[in-house]
Amino acid sequence: MATSPFRYFISLFLLLLCFEACLRVGDAKVGCRERERQALLHFKQGVVDDDGVLSSWGNGEDKRDCCKWRGVKCNNQTGHVIRLDLHAQSLGGKIGPSLAELQHLKHLNLSSNDFEGILPTQLGNLSNLQSLDLGYNYGDMTCGNLDWLCHLPFLTHLDLSWVNLSKAIHWPQAINKMPSLTELYLIDTQLPSIIPTISISHINSSTSLAVLHLPSNGLTSSIYPWLFNFSSSLVHLDLSWNDLNGSTPDAFGNMTTLAYLDLSSNELRGSIPDAFGNMTTLAYLDLSWNKLRGSIPDAFGNMTSLAYLDLSLNELEGLQLGCISRISR
Ligand SMILES: *[C@@H]1O[C@H](CO)[C@@H](O)[C@H](O)[C@H]1NC(C)=O
Ligand SMILES: *[C@@H]1O[C@H](CO)[C@@H](O)[C@H](O)[C@H]1NC(C)=O
Ligand SMILES: *[C@@H]1O[C@H](CO)[C@@H](O)[C@H](O)[C@H]1NC(C)=O
Ligand SMILES: *[C@@H]1O[C@H](CO)[C@@H](O)[C@H](O)[C@H]1NC(C)=O
Ligand SMILES: *[C@@H]1O[C@H](CO)[C@@H](O)[C@H](O)[C@H]1NC(C)=O
Ligand SMILES: *[C@@H]1O[C@H](CO)[C@@H](O)[C@H](O)[C@H]1NC(C)=O
Ligand SMILES: *[C@@H]1O[C@H](CO)[C@@H](O)[C@H](O)[C@H]1NC(C)=O
Ligand SMILES: *[C@@H]1O[C@H](CO)[C@@H](O)[C@H](O)[C@H]1NC(C)=O
Ligand SMILES: *[C@@H]1O[C@H](CO)[C@@H](O)[C@H](O)[C@H]1NC(C)=O
Ligand SMILES: *[C@@H]1O[C@H](CO)[C@@H](O)[C@H](O)[C@H]1NC(C)=O
C-alpha cells in the first residue's frame, strides 16, 4: 500500500519525460532551414503586398518557422521548402533571384498575380523543380531566352503564359532540351515564329510533349517541322489564334494519340485533308474561322471518338449556317 503514491509519481515522471522527448523530436522534424528562411524574406522584399498576404512571413518570435508561412510547404522530415504556391494573391513587384536558394523546391506557382520585370534566369538553378507556373501575371514580365530551362531535368509542367517572350528566338531548341517536359503552356507570349533558316533538324528532341498550348502567338506554318516531331506523344494541341497559313498538312493524320485539336482562327486554306480521318482518338476538333474550302472528307466517318466538331466560318460546301457545322454528341 505504501508503494502506491511512489509508483504514481514514477509514472507521472516517466509520462512527463516522454512528453518532453516527444516534443523535442517534433521540434527537430519541423522548422525550416535558416538559409531558406532568409531567401524567402529576400523574395518578400521585392514583392508589393498591399493586402498583407505575406504578413505571416517575418522575423518575429512567433514567425520563426517558415514552414508555417502562407503558401510555403516543407518536407516534414528535412524541413526543406518543397512547394511555394502564391497563385492569385494580388502580389506585385518583382520576382527576385533569391528564390534560387530554395534548392529543394519541387513546385513553384506564382500565377495570376501582378508580377513584372525580367524573369530571373537563376530559377534555372532549381534543379529539383517539377512544375513552374508564372502564367497570367498582369504586370509586364519579359524573358529574353529560355536557355536556363535546360538545367531543370525533372520539370514536367511549364506555364509562362503572358510573359513577353518576343526576344526568345531559340525557344524551340530550348524546349527540345527539356527531357521531362510533358505540359507546356505559352499562351499569348508574343512567341517569335520559327525562322526556317535556324536549323532545328540537328537537334534531336528528347521531349515527349503531351499537352501543347500555344494560342495567340502569331505563329506561322514554319512551326510544322518542329511540331510534327511530337506527333507520337501529343494528346492536347491548341494553336488557335495564330497565323498558320496555306494548306493543312497531311502530317496531322500522324498524330494518332491526339484527343484535342484546336486550329481555329488561323489562315488555313484549301480542303481538309483525308488524313484527318486517321486521328481516330480525336474527341474535340475546332477548325472554325479559317479559309477552308471544299467538302468535308468522307474519312471523317472514321473519327469514331469525335464528340465536338466546329467547322463554322469557313467556305466549306454544304455548310451555309455556322450552327449546322457545329456538332456535339
Ligand atoms: C510527412 O509527410 C508525408 C508525405 O507527405 C506524410 O505521408 C506524413 O503523414 C507526414 N507526417 C506528418 C507527421 O505530418
Ligand atoms: C546559379 O548557378 C550559377 C552557376 O551554376 C551561379 O553562378 C549562380 O550564382 C547561381 N545563382 C544562385 C542564386 O544560386
Ligand atoms: C497554379 O495554380 C493555379 C490556380 O490554382 C492552377 O490552376 C495551376 O494548375 C497551378 N499550376 C501548377 C503548375 O500546378
Ligand atoms: C515585348 O517586348 C518587346 C521587346 O522586348 C517590346 O518591343 C514589346 O513592346 C513588348 N510587348 C508588349 C506587349 O509589351
Ligand atoms: C523532327 O524534326 C526534324 C527536323 O525538322 C526532322 O528531320 C525529323 O524527321 C523529325 N522527326 C519526326 C519524328 O518527325
Ligand atoms: C541526332 O541524331 C542523329 C541520328 O541519330 C545523330 O547523327 C546526330 O548527331 C544527333 N544530333 C545531336 C545534336 O545529338
Ligand atoms: C505564309 O505566310 C508567309 C508570311 O506571310 C509567306 O511568306 C508564305 O508564303 C505563306 N505561305 C503560304 C503557303 O501561303
Ligand atoms: C507519317 O509518319 C510516317 C512514319 O513516321 C512517315 O513515313 C510519313 O511520311 C508521315 N506522314 C506525313 C504526311 O508526314
Ligand atoms: C492514314 O492512314 C492510312 C491507312 O492506315 C495510311 O495509308 C496513310 O498514310 C495515313 N496518312 C497519314 C498522313 O498518316
Ligand atoms: C476508314 O478506315 C478504314 C480502316 O482503316 C479504311 O479502310 C478506310 O479507307 C477509311 N475510310 C476513309 C474514307 O478514309
Side-chain angles (χ1 to χ4, degrees):
M1 289 298 271
T3 54
S4 202
F6 181 63
R7 268 200 204 151
Y8 172 76
F9 279 117
I10 289 281
S11 310
L12 192 66
F13 177 69
L14 285 174
L15 192 75
L16 283 173
L17 203 70
C18 165
F19 194 52
E20 218 219 86
C22 294
L23 270 184
R24 240 196 252 123
V25 169
D27 268 353
K29 272 188 186 172
V30 294
C32 70
R33 306 279 174 140
E34 184 57 21
R35 186 185 155 97
E36 298 184 3
R37 196 171 160 276
Q38 291 303 327
L40 287 167
L41 288 174
H42 265 115
F43 165 74
K44 183 184 174 178
Q45 279 170 15
V47 172
V48 176
D49 178 19
D50 292 335
D51 297 347
V53 167
L54 302 183
S55 57
S56 59
W57 296 33
N59 276 316
E61 197 49 47
D62 55 331
K63 298 175 180 171
R64 290 219 62 80
D65 184 4
C66 73
C67 298
K68 299 200 173 101
W69 292 358
R70 185 164 180 165
V72 178
K73 189 169 176 278
C74 299
N75 178 313
N76 59 19
Q77 304 294 315
T78 64
H80 287 299
V81 177
I82 53 171
R83 182 186 292 268
L84 181 59
D85 187 350
L86 293 170
H87 75 269
Q89 300 290 317
S90 310
L91 299 172
K94 293 190 166 61
I95 299 171
S98 69
L99 286 184
E101 302 276 353
L102 305 174
Q103 281 295 308
H104 297 262
L105 203 61
K106 290 180 180 166
H107 305 280
L108 178 57
N109 195 340
L110 301 176
S111 67
S112 306
N113 283 292
D114 199 17
F115 287 114
E116 60 178 19
I118 297 166
L119 252 182
T121 53
Q122 286 90 338
L123 293 182
N125 285 10
L126 293 173
S127 52
N128 288 299
L129 218 51
Q130 294 170 14
S131 71
L132 176 60
D133 192 343
L134 304 175
Y136 306 106
N137 274 287
Y138 291 94
D140 289 324
M141 262 210 288
T142 61
C143 189
N145 70 67
L146 299 181
D147 298 345
W148 50 281
L149 290 167
C150 72
H151 303 298
L152 305 176
F154 305 117
L155 196 70
T156 60
H157 182 125
L158 175 64
D159 193 336
L160 297 178
S161 297
W162 295 10
V163 177
N164 186 343
L165 299 178
S166 62
K167 290 270 163 63
I169 53 169
H170 296 295
W171 65 268
Q173 289 88 335
I175 302 303
N176 284 4
K177 284 183 200 158
M178 301 176 65
S180 303
L181 196 67
T182 57
E183 293 187 41
L184 177 63
Y185 302 84
L186 300 177
I187 297 160
D188 196 2
T189 57
Q190 302 179 54
L191 211 55
S193 276
I194 295 180
I195 305 167
T197 52
I198 294 179
S199 172
I200 56 168
S201 53
H202 305 300
I203 296 160
N204 302 315
S205 176
S206 48
T207 324
S208 32
L209 280 177
V211 178
L212 181 59
H213 282 234
L214 303 175
S216 305
N217 278 300
L219 295 167
T220 67
S221 309
S222 64
I223 194 177
Y224 292 144
W226 178 77
L227 177 71
F228 292 130
N229 262 314
F230 305 110
S231 286
S232 54
S233 60
L234 280 176
V235 176
H236 238 253
L237 175 60
D238 186 350
L239 287 170
S240 61
W241 296 97
N242 278 295
D243 292 327
L244 302 179
N245 62 348
S247 58
T248 319
D250 282 345
F252 277 105
N254 265 351
M255 297 190 164
T256 47
T257 49
L258 208 59
Y260 181 105
L261 177 59
D262 191 348
L263 297 175
S264 64
S265 302
N266 279 285
E267 298 281 322
L268 296 171
R269 290 167 192 277
S271 54
I272 303 172
D274 285 344
F276 268 54
N278 285 12
M279 293 191 277
T280 50
T281 50
L282 206 60
Y284 182 106
L285 176 60
D286 192 346
L287 294 172
S288 63
W289 290 88
N290 277 290
K291 299 199 163 58
L292 297 166
R293 288 175 172 277
S295 52
I296 299 175
D298 291 343
F300 265 44
N302 273 356
M303 290 199 276
T304 48
S305 305
L306 205 61
Y308 180 94
L309 172 65
D310 191 348
L311 301 173
S312 60
L313 295 152
N314 279 289
E315 293 153 28
L316 293 160
E317 285 164 24
L319 296 168
Q320 309 303 331
L321 294 167
C323 59
I324 292 178
S325 56
R326 196 180 286 131
I327 63 153
S328 227
R329 70 173 183 229

